[in-house]
Amino acid sequence: MQNRWLRGLLTIVFVVLIVSLLMEFFNAPTQQTSQTPYSTLISDTLTNQVTQATVEPATHTVLWTDRSGKHYLTVYPTGYTNELSNDLNDHGAVVTITKPPGTGIWMTVLGDVLPLIVVVGLVFFLVRQGQGGNRMMSFGRSQARLINESQQRVTFADVAGLDEEKQELEEVVDFLKNPKRYLEMGARIPKGVLLYGPPGTGKTLLARAVAGEAGVPFFSESGSGFVEMFVGVGASRVRDLFDQAKKNAPCIVFIDELDAVGRMRGAGYGGGNDEREQTLNQLLVEMDGFGVNEGIILMAATNRPDVLDPALLRPGRFDRQIVVHAPDLAGRIEILKVHTRNKPLASDVDLAVIAKRTPGFTGADLANLANEAALLAARERQKRITMANFIEATERVMAGPQKKTRVLSNFEKRVVAFHESGHTLVGMLVPHGDPIHKVTIIPRGMAMGYTLPVPDEDRYRITREQFLDKVAMSLGGRAAEQIVFGEISTGASDDLEKSTRMVRQMIMEYGMSDELGPITYGRRQEVFLGRDLMRQQDYSDEVAAKIDQAIRHVIVEQYERAKSLLMQHRQTLNRLALALLEKETLESDELRQIVFGA
């Protein structure tokens, strides 16, 4: 934008100069003149030979014509303008005196201001060009940002729900504060700390908290910031980054999204001489080469540790690897406390209930949830954020905003009511079903309605019976449609997809099939194009047919099971659907009252 403005300014200046030169050229006399001495002019004036004369005080020249019609140009001495003009007038010449300079604003601009503008513009242009050259020379410089204590400081108090991870990193903080104690014992602090886990779990926040606790400089760079289209630039930036870190040691160097530069070598096209691999080689050398990097701790974060080069993960490089999981129930409560401490909460807000309704949410998800609740409260011009705002925000994050303008016909509304009632009833009747907190037929996101099951506690393992109950509940909506209306609709497409995916995992990944046995089928393989991971077929076509048959058998069996449960409790199914048609939304207490009468 600045270069465009500068080019425009210079263009205007040059146009003005050219126009002024052209005007001067066209205004110049076109007669053939010859220059004569001042004495000739005086003698011809005294003998009345001069008929016309144009005196120009600015240049001290006279353009005059004699009686024969010839034109002459004469330079006269400074200070003789008036005396010469009077002599010419007295001897019969027609005298014209040009306007002296400085009497017009345009002459002032052209004569005084314009040259200054031109000089300043040219100097500015040359300086900018010089800076551009410096930028080209610094193309291989690291783009890492240095975050000092003077900037916003993050400490472990700002990181909630990651107690074990913080405990693992306290050694790093203590070493940076008191390195002498560890060196006296002959201990060597880990050179590298790798944080890996799902997106949004707080890996970057943990790294900044370590720097904040230790009170040392913190260099932050993205893995993609090293790799450029020009070979050698990435390696140069790695060298420059570590050179800067050595000057600021002790310090922390943090590389986010390490998989962008640290992927396994030889996995793609281009052999071993491409830019990314040269950058990785330089990073390996800087971490554990012949050079000494005392006081520099390299921290990195990634969502894909499985694609990293093995040389990065060996001892001496990333010695310590910390898994950052999604928080558990207690962790979610602590995270919600952090994200709501500066928000005005109403007395009915119960963070424990909110945490219980959000299993699987990461720290970033919970931050977004708290922000959505605050936006909803502000939209309603409330003074405090209520529990209703948090519940609505939870459902917006899970399923999308309500579609109040989407109007369903009475028949479609009945189909949706029985479909969701089928999910709810089967989910409440199976022995391992999660408690149903809410069911609604109000459209939200892409769904015409939804049923919200929430487990009582966080689970880290699922049994075969729990898998089968989930599949039966997922197929309950389609079964209810067939029982009540005698036909099926497209509303169960998502249910079928989820059921098929769960059963396929049961059989192929977890070996939960009596026919196929405790065997894992298909191995994960990284691919260069398309999705990052796919399951490569490492079994025969005969086994593939058996897998398809086993998947079909389980889904059909659970579908018939769901139909049987609904037919046995047909009256309860009708009561649920009628209550949904009347109220549109039913909470857990109302559901238990309708189904169990309690």
Side-chain angles (χ1 to χ4, degrees):
M1 188 67 181
Q2 292 180 349
N3 290 337
R4 192 182 307 166
W5 176 84
L6 179 61
R7 287 195 297 268
L9 177 62
L10 291 177
T11 301
I12 293 174
V13 170
F14 287 131
V15 168
V16 172
L17 283 174
I18 292 172
V19 170
S20 61
L21 291 174
L22 290 176
M23 291 177 61
E24 184 177 350
F25 174 76
F26 286 113
N27 289 333
T30 58
Q31 298 94 338
Q32 296 293 326
T33 60
S34 59
Q35 190 167 351
T36 58
Y38 181 64
S39 58
T40 303
L41 172 62
I42 293 300
S43 63
D44 284 1
T45 300
L46 294 177
T47 58
N48 297 326
Q49 296 297 317
V50 179
T51 59
Q52 290 182 348
T54 301
V55 181
E56 296 184 1
T59 58
H60 303 293
T61 58
V62 180
L63 184 65
W64 54 282
T65 307
D66 62 7
R67 293 189 179 276
S68 63
K70 292 183 178 182
H71 304 285
Y72 303 93
L73 181 64
T74 300
V75 178
Y76 65 87
T78 304
Y80 279 79
T81 302
N82 294 331
E83 182 179 348
L84 177 62
S85 300
N86 293 333
D87 288 344
L88 289 168
N89 276 322
D90 293 340
H91 291 82
V94 178
V95 180
T96 303
I97 302 176
T98 60
K99 192 174 184 180
T103 58
I105 186 170
W106 286 107
M107 291 300 297
T108 303
V109 171
L110 291 175
D112 299 331
V113 180
L114 188 59
L116 179 63
I117 293 176
V118 173
V119 171
V120 172
L122 288 175
V123 171
F124 183 70
F125 180 75
L126 293 175
V127 170
R128 292 287 295 177
Q129 289 295 105
Q131 290 178 350
N134 291 335
R135 287 197 297 270
M136 290 298 294
M137 294 298 293
S138 64
F139 194 64
R141 297 285 302 275
S142 170
Q143 308 298 317
R145 294 182 297 114
L146 175 60
I147 302 175
N148 290 306
E149 290 186 54
S150 58
Q151 298 176 340
Q152 185 177 3
R153 183 177 177 183
V154 179
T155 64
F156 282 153
D158 301 308
V159 183
L162 299 173
D163 295 335
E164 291 81 3
E165 290 80 356
K166 288 191 289 187
Q167 186 176 358
E168 288 286 332
L169 293 171
E170 283 178 355
E171 281 185 10
V172 177
V173 174
D174 194 36
F175 174 80
L176 290 170
K177 287 183 175 180
N178 308 296
K180 185 177 179 181
R181 184 171 61 190
Y182 290 87
L183 296 175
E184 288 176 351
M185 297 299 296
R188 179 179 60 83
I189 199 69
K191 290 187 178 181
V193 179
L194 178 65
L195 305 173
Y196 65 91
T201 50
K203 299 182 290 296
T204 305
L205 187 64
L206 266 175
R208 292 193 62 180
V210 171
E213 288 286 340
V216 298
F218 180 77
F219 289 90
S220 176
E221 176 64 294
S222 170
S224 60
F226 293 107
V227 182
E228 293 284 353
M229 64 179 293
F230 304 107
V231 176
V233 172
S236 174
R237 288 181 177 178
V238 171
R239 286 191 296 269
D240 184 69
L241 173 60
F242 278 86
D243 287 342
Q244 293 182 46
K246 290 173 186 177
K247 296 175 183 177
N248 292 273
C251 66
I252 292 177
V253 175
F254 177 66
I255 301 178
D256 202 3
E257 305 298 342
L258 180 65
D259 51 281
V261 69
R263 283 179 176 259
M264 190 178 304
R265 287 168 291 185
Y269 299 117
N273 195 35
D274 64 357
E275 165 66 357
R276 184 184 57 79
E277 294 193 3
Q278 286 198 21
T279 306
L280 173 58
N281 291 337
Q282 185 63 42
L283 180 62
L284 295 173
V285 170
E286 293 290 346
M287 289 186 68
D288 190 28
F290 285 101
V292 178
N293 292 328
E294 292 184 0
I296 300 175
I297 294 179
L298 180 63
M299 298 187 69
T302 180
N303 308 325
R304 297 291 310 279
D306 52 310
V307 302
L308 295 179
D309 193 280
L312 273 174
L313 306 179
R314 73 160 177 81
R317 291 197 172 112
F318 283 109
D319 307 82
R320 183 162 298 182
Q321 300 172 26
I322 300 175
V323 184
V324 186
H325 288 293
D328 56 10
L329 178 60
R332 292 197 296 276
I333 295 175
E334 295 301 318
I335 292 173
L336 285 170
K337 288 180 181 178
V338 170
H339 292 301
T340 57
R341 60 189 176 190
N342 296 324
K343 294 179 173 61
L345 302 181
S347 58
D348 64 338
V349 174
D350 190 342
L351 297 181
V353 174
I354 300 170
K356 196 172 184 179
R357 295 174 71 110
T358 53
F361 273 42
T362 64
D365 295 329
L366 294 172
N368 183 42
L369 170 64
N371 185 63
E372 283 288 341
L375 291 175
L376 290 171
R379 185 183 303 169
E380 299 296 330
R381 301 186 183 278
Q382 301 170 194
K383 294 185 178 180
R384 293 188 176 274
I385 306 172
T386 64
M387 189 66 178
N389 297 137
F390 275 101
I391 293 175
E392 174 63 20
T394 303
E395 296 177 7
R396 286 174 68 92
V397 173
M398 288 182 171
Q402 287 187 8
K403 301 294 184 181
K404 297 180 180 180
T405 58
R406 186 180 297 173
V407 181
L408 302 179
S409 65
N410 292 333
F411 177 74
E412 285 183 325
K413 204 170 184 179
R414 289 188 68 236
V415 172
V416 174
F418 276 99
H419 182 100
E420 299 303 331
S421 298
H423 284 311
T424 303
L425 187 54
V426 174
M428 297 179 74
L429 294 176
V430 293
H432 302 287
D434 294 326
I436 308 297
H437 276 239
K438 183 177 182 178
V439 58
T440 181
I441 58 173
I442 298 175
R444 184 182 288 275
M446 297 296 295
M448 295 294 102
Y450 66 94
T451 303
L452 182 63
V454 178
D456 288 330
E457 56 187 10
D458 293 327
R459 291 181 183 149
Y460 303 100
R461 56 184 294 274
I462 302 178
T463 65
R464 185 175 187 273
E465 287 71 22
Q466 289 171 333
F467 258 127
L468 295 177
D469 287 350
K470 285 179 176 291
V471 174
M473 177 190 170
S474 183
L475 297 172
R478 179 186 172 101
E481 288 187 32
Q482 188 172 13
I483 290 172
V484 176
F485 301 101
E487 59 181 2
I488 55 178
S489 69
T490 59
S493 61
D494 187 57
D495 301 329
L496 294 176
E497 182 180 349
K498 290 179 180 177
S499 302
T500 305
R501 184 168 60 250
M502 283 191 288
V503 176
R504 189 176 296 277
Q505 284 182 317
M506 285 175 54
I507 294 172
M508 297 185 65
E509 295 185 32
Y510 306 125
M512 295 180 178
S513 172
D514 296 332
E515 296 84 0
L516 296 168
I519 302 175
T520 297
Y521 294 97
R523 57 186 172 86
R524 303 181 109 188
Q525 180 190 27
E526 185 184 359
V527 294
F528 185 73
L529 298 174
R531 296 186 61 86
D532 288 337
L533 289 176
M534 63 176 294
R535 297 197 69 85
Q536 184 183 24
Q537 181 172 327
D538 59 354
Y539 44 85
S540 65
D541 292 339
E542 181 181 355
V543 174
K546 290 183 179 180
I547 292 174
D548 293 339
Q549 185 178 0
I551 293 173
R552 180 181 181 278
H553 173 73
V554 172
I555 291 179
V556 171
E557 182 181 57
Q558 295 308 309
Y559 182 65
E560 294 299 328
R561 179 188 176 200
K563 283 177 62 177
S564 176
L565 286 172
L566 293 177
M567 292 180 70
Q568 293 174 21
H569 299 83
R570 175 63 187 273
Q571 296 302 321
T572 305
L573 177 65
N574 292 339
R575 288 198 301 270
L576 270 175
L578 289 176
L580 273 176
L581 288 170
E582 179 183 354
K583 297 183 178 181
E584 293 187 332
T585 300
L586 297 175
E587 299 290 343
S588 56
D589 295 338
E590 298 172 295
L591 292 173
R592 284 195 296 270
Q593 178 66 34
I594 295 172
V595 176
F596 302 115

